[in-house]
Amino acid sequence: MTLASTSRRGFLRAAGAGGALLIGMSAQGVLAAVNNPAAAAPGADFVPNAFIRIARDGSVTLISKQPEIGQGIKTSLPMVIAEELDVAWDSVRVVQGDLDLEAYGSQGAGGSNSTPNNYENFRRLGATARYVLLQAAAQAWKVAASECTTDAGHVLHAASKRRLAYGALVDAAAKLPLPEAAKVAVKDPANFKLLGKRIGGVDNGAIVSGKPLFGIDVQLPGMLHAQYVKCPVFGGKPRRANLDAVRALPGVKDAFIIEGTDNLNGLRPGVAIVATSTWAAIRARRALEVEWDEGAAAKHSWADFTAQAKAAARQPGATMLRKDGDVAAALKGAAKTVEAAYSYPFISHASMEPQNCTAWLKPDGALELWAPTQNPNAGQALVSSTCGIPKEKITMHIIRSGGGFGRRLSSDFIVEATAIAQRMKDKAPVKLTWTREDDLQHDHFRPGGFHFLRGGVDKAGKVVGWHNHFVTFANRVEQDGKSSLRNGSGGSLSPDEFPGRWLANCQLEQTALECSVPMGPWRAPGSCVFAWAFHSFIDELAHAGGRDPLAFRLELLGDKDIVPPSVERGQPYNVARMRAVLQTAADKAGWGKKKFARGQGQGIAFHFSHRGYVAQVAEVTVSKDGKVKVDRVVVATDVGPTIINLSGAENQVEGSVIDGLSTLMFPELNLENGRIVQSNFHDYQLLRIGDAPARIEMHFVKSDQPVTGLGEPPLPPLAPAVCNAIFAATGKRVRELPLNKVDLSWS
């Protein structure tokens, strides 16, 4: 029974005998009341279209609607409700919600959006529930509600020294009229009891004790196991395969070709093997022989793309993104000019848990999915459009992911599992598990890129001109009868990218190289590489001008507090916030006050990314044979006035520093004959613990701005800060990634 009437606002109250008080939020982000009959039944469990459940025994169940991929959202957003509800955290149980847009609203996890998109609404959810409970207690005591307070799951009346547990108020609260959520007061942050503290993740116990928690752990009665083999060349498809021989192998239930689609990020053609166990499927895969039609992409190679990029750089860019003033004249009149080419390779997300999904197509046509996904709604849509299953017949269980970093925003593994399950006659659940090699060679990669930069400074060391010709990668797509190139995610440079709005003479151009490599968002898309190229080049200009890198950057930022966007849908840049984090990082690191021996140095960088303002100072030691050790990283971050979970925030900053350093130092994917050369962690190295920074120091700068997330913002400044420190230590510039390809030896 839905108690909310109009516009989905209100409360759910209720539950008769054995019932519970439930409060939910609609897809539009407003409060909605949902009284699910299932919750009223004694012993009933979780109700998927509500966020709050208070049982008569005082226990509180909160629904986490966003996918948990290691970013801590399953802990932090329920903390917001618990804070405003005023319940003890140890009385709270958090349950992951299935995909249900009507009940929960947006359920994606990406771009550090989960916190800013939900923080205020979640406060209202908790505060509204607390308001009703307080009213119920006041009526029971026949006192004014203003005389009552709440604490740790109880309503208190100090004058009479009476108290009532929330569980005892369930029935009374259910009978009260509902308040307008917008008129309910939320707490003064000064009175927060829970937010800002260090709270361990709600799944930590299960993780450290090895309990089944992730998508790869899903087990169902009668479940079959699948492998899906795609052409090693992107866009290729199978002509024929030894299917009869494979079907005859032990444990194999079936083997078949799936025609697939032309969508590089969707259901690609391949060969499916379904068996009674994962091992039986993998063993059969080793016996599989496929004749592939490799297609035109078999000509792809990184060496050829590099040559194409250099040739493109000698020509005007295909797209003029920004043209302010006269850069050519400015550089001609500059006291000193610098010209540099920066490049970075394709890389993989390399999440620890390979892609997987369990699909169960029932005899009645209903589909049930268990997927470690960042984007369940898109997964449902792709399955529906590709496999012809109506959305309303698809149930999506959101399973915790063993890492995501943007990879699980794509849904190819979900549609593959579904397409395989559709072919099985006995309608058993099928779990598709990618191998590590599948994961590395069929990722939706972070695009590689090339930046051809020119800049100049005047006699005073001020920047007078900036020119960037960015050469990136794009896929050809057909839409609405038109063929066009679409840049890979993170492969589009904004005209407003710093220092785009700050210089009188600035020219930004972009040229795309067509390829068939599937690309997707990688942690802090765009910013993760733009920050490295631009803030390294800024350091080059500071050096050319004989300027201190910190002073040079502060001067470049200027004295305006806000720089408005110059393009439609652009974002204002809060310069005051960036100056504050930059100065904080410098002060905490002792910038300019420390003396470094030859082979040691300090570097600084900043970047605005995904609503967060971050600056970092790195200190490094480079041995004479060129081995780099990052000794210290000081991070200053401004993501608003409130750190929801200090433990989670520290985790995100430290993780970003380590992830950023790993990506700077080691990983690289080569393309030869249209194939990814690397196959597993033996030739796709990631950072080991011995290479991690010895010290990571974090400082959260508070500002009177909306609360935002931390998954992306702290990563981008790490690479330029380290590379600038390497230059300070050795005099060598790093203009090509990964770092382990660069000779940093010195004498």
Side-chain angles (χ1 to χ4, degrees):
M1 178 179 69
T2 299
L3 298 183
S5 52
T6 60
S7 71
R8 299 178 182 274
R9 294 192 174 190
F11 261 104
L12 155 77
R13 307 133 314 151
L21 177 66
L22 299 173
I23 299 163
M25 187 169 67
S26 78
Q28 289 73 35
V30 296
L31 295 179
V34 181
N35 182 12
N36 190 307
D45 290 325
F46 137 92
V47 180
N49 59 357
F51 285 86
I52 302 173
R53 169 173 177 165
I54 302 171
R56 285 200 170 117
D57 63 1
S59 62
V60 178
T61 301
L62 303 180
I63 302 303
S64 176
K65 74 187 183 86
Q66 308 299 131
E68 174 62 60
I69 53 175
Q71 83 280 41
I73 203 71
K74 189 177 177 182
T75 303
S76 60
L77 281 182
M79 283 175 63
V80 176
I81 296 178
E83 174 66 68
E84 294 288 350
L85 184 57
D86 217 355
V87 293
W89 183 245
D90 58 8
S91 71
V92 171
R93 174 173 174 258
V94 179
V95 176
Q96 176 68 56
D98 288 341
L99 174 64
D100 190 339
L101 299 180
E102 181 66 23
Y104 302 140
S106 171
Q107 290 185 262
S112 294
N113 285 319
S114 294
T115 296
N117 289 350
N118 293 290
Y119 179 74
E120 290 300 332
N121 279 334
F122 272 46
R123 292 187 72 188
R124 296 281 168 190
L125 283 170
T128 309
R130 174 167 50 87
Y131 175 90
V132 173
L133 291 160
L134 190 145
Q135 296 292 326
Q139 290 187 10
W141 292 328
K142 301 187 186 308
V143 299
S146 60
E147 297 176 10
C148 300
T149 59
T150 58
D151 182 49
H154 291 76
V155 182
L156 313 178
H157 186 245
S160 61
K161 297 183 179 179
R162 287 178 289 185
R163 57 190 288 139
L164 274 172
Y166 285 177
L169 293 166
V170 167
D171 287 342
K175 299 173 184 175
L176 292 178
L178 305 176
E180 280 287 338
K183 295 181 180 178
V184 174
V186 294
K187 286 184 176 180
D188 183 335
N191 297 324
F192 283 165
K193 302 170 184 173
L194 180 63
L195 301 192
K197 291 185 176 180
R198 290 185 176 86
I199 301 296
V202 295
D203 288 335
N204 284 1
I207 292 172
V208 300
S209 59
K211 292 182 179 176
L213 192 64
F214 300 94
I216 207 166
D217 297 324
V218 169
Q219 294 290 334
L220 296 172
M223 186 173 76
L224 299 174
H225 299 262
Q227 291 283 293
Y228 191 56
V229 184
K230 296 184 282 288
C231 182
V233 177
F234 305 115
K237 54 188 178 182
R239 288 196 180 105
R240 59 186 67 87
N242 60 335
L243 298 177
D244 289 339
V246 171
R247 291 187 187 112
L249 293 174
V252 175
K253 302 286 286 187
D254 203 354
F256 45 84
I257 289 175
I258 293 179
E259 296 297 329
T261 68
D262 294 330
N263 181 359
L264 286 171
N265 296 80
L267 179 61
R268 286 160 53 192
V271 181
I273 301 172
V274 184
T276 54
S277 71
T278 305
W279 171 235
I282 291 176
R283 189 170 50 187
R285 176 177 182 160
R286 292 174 181 171
L288 177 68
E289 296 175 0
V290 186
E291 180 183 327
W292 300 103
D293 175 0
E294 296 184 343
K299 299 178 181 177
H300 284 357
S301 76
W302 180 253
D304 182 58
F305 282 131
T306 301
Q308 289 185 48
K310 291 178 178 176
R314 293 190 287 269
Q315 305 296 323
T319 304
M320 182 66 71
L321 302 172
R322 183 177 203 99
K323 188 174 184 181
D324 296 326
D326 188 338
V327 172
L331 296 182
K332 187 176 181 179
K336 290 185 178 179
T337 60
V338 180
E339 188 167 345
Y342 285 76
S343 65
Y344 40 86
F346 288 97
I347 64 168
S348 168
H349 297 79
S351 54
M352 194 52 64
E353 180 192 23
Q355 310 313 311
N356 63 87
C357 176
T358 301
W360 189 1
L361 188 62
K362 311 289 181 62
D364 64 357
L367 174 67
E368 200 165 357
L369 295 166
W370 291 259
T373 171
Q374 293 178 245
N375 202 354
N377 186 35
Q380 184 192 56
L382 180 64
V383 166
S384 180
S385 61
T386 305
C387 301
I389 302 172
K391 287 184 179 180
E392 59 271 18
K393 300 201 74 169
I394 301 174
T395 300
M396 174 80 78
H397 303 291
I398 303 170
I399 310 299
R400 184 183 178 105
S401 299
F405 319 111
R407 175 60 180 93
R408 296 179 208 272
L409 289 167
S410 296
S411 305
D412 47 336
F413 52 97
I414 301 174
V415 75
E416 288 174 3
T418 303
I420 295 169
Q422 276 188 310
R423 293 285 293 269
M424 299 307 295
K425 296 178 181 177
D426 56 6
K427 303 303 179 188
V430 177
K431 180 160 76 174
L432 170 68
T433 305
W434 285 25
T435 63
R436 179 68 61 199
E437 288 79 4
D438 291 332
D439 217 36
L440 201 64
Q441 298 185 323
H442 291 285
D443 201 344
H444 295 169
F445 306 95
R446 186 196 75 182
F450 307 85
H451 295 268
F452 299 91
L453 290 152
R454 293 185 296 146
V457 294
D458 62 16
K459 292 180 180 178
K462 294 184 177 180
V463 181
V464 296
W466 175 287
H467 176 250
N468 179 20
H469 186 166
F470 175 38
V471 181
T472 184
F473 290 88
N475 297 139
R476 183 160 295 282
V477 296
E478 309 293 332
Q479 190 169 14
D480 300 328
K482 297 181 181 177
S483 178
S484 62
L485 287 178
R486 181 166 61 197
N487 295 332
S489 179
S492 296
L493 181 65
S494 167
D496 276 1
E497 190 71 50
F498 186 85
R501 284 169 278 179
W502 278 258
L503 299 173
N505 302 295
C506 181
Q507 186 167 321
L508 307 178
E509 303 170 77
Q510 182 164 305
T511 298
L513 303 179
E514 182 176 349
C515 72
S516 296
V517 179
M519 296 171 280
W522 193 95
R523 193 171 190 173
S527 297
C528 61
V529 281
F530 296 158
W532 169 67
F534 303 157
H535 290 277
S536 293
F537 193 63
I538 287 171
D539 220 62
E540 294 206 47
L541 293 175
H543 181 72
R547 302 286 303 281
D548 170 75
L550 171 63
F552 187 78
R553 284 171 170 79
L554 289 171
E555 181 182 88
L556 193 54
L557 282 168
D559 55 7
K560 294 180 180 177
D561 284 347
I562 302 289
V563 173
S566 66
V567 294
E568 187 177 357
R569 302 181 65 185
Q571 297 184 62
Y573 194 111
N574 193 316
V575 185
R577 297 177 73 184
M578 189 58 83
R579 284 196 300 263
V581 295
L582 184 59
Q583 194 63 61
T584 298
D587 292 346
K588 298 295 183 182
W591 182 266
K593 298 177 181 177
K594 301 176 70 173
K595 298 294 183 183
F596 292 92
R598 174 82 166 138
Q600 293 183 317
Q602 230 178 15
I604 192 167
F606 65 84
H607 201 70
F608 171 65
S609 170
H610 296 76
R611 312 185 214 195
Y613 293 80
V614 183
Q616 298 186 17
V617 174
E619 296 177 6
V620 306
T621 298
V622 185
S623 65
K624 287 190 176 181
D625 61 357
K627 183 174 175 54
V628 176
K629 176 63 179 173
V630 177
D631 304 310
R632 182 189 183 204
V633 179
V634 179
V635 185
T637 304
D638 178 356
V639 287
T642 301
I643 299 298
I644 296 173
N645 181 2
L646 183 55
S647 176
E650 291 169 340
N651 174 292
Q652 287 299 297
V653 174
E654 289 180 341
S656 293
V657 167
I658 292 172
D659 196 11
L661 183 59
S662 177
T663 307
L664 167 67
M665 294 184 74
F666 298 115
E668 175 187 28
L669 294 172
N670 292 326
L671 265 174
E672 290 182 5
N673 300 319
R675 297 160 165 81
I676 295 293
V677 174
Q678 289 75 13
S679 62
N680 208 318
F681 287 150
H682 71 283
D683 55 3
Y684 188 78
Q685 186 180 350
L686 300 176
L687 194 81
R688 304 296 179 89
I689 193 168
D691 295 315
R695 294 166 58 191
I696 301 175
E697 301 169 19
M698 293 158 283
H699 304 277
F700 295 104
V701 178
K702 304 288 182 65
S703 63
D704 186 20
Q705 299 291 330
V707 173
T708 190
L710 267 169
E712 265 83 8
L715 185 140
L718 185 282
V722 170
C723 289
N724 294 338
I726 290 172
F727 176 78
T730 67
K732 291 193 171 184
R733 284 289 175 194
V734 178
R735 293 170 173 163
E736 181 183 14
L737 298 183
L739 195 58
N740 64 355
K741 292 178 61 175
V742 183
D743 179 9
L744 297 176
S745 61
W746 58 276
S747 58

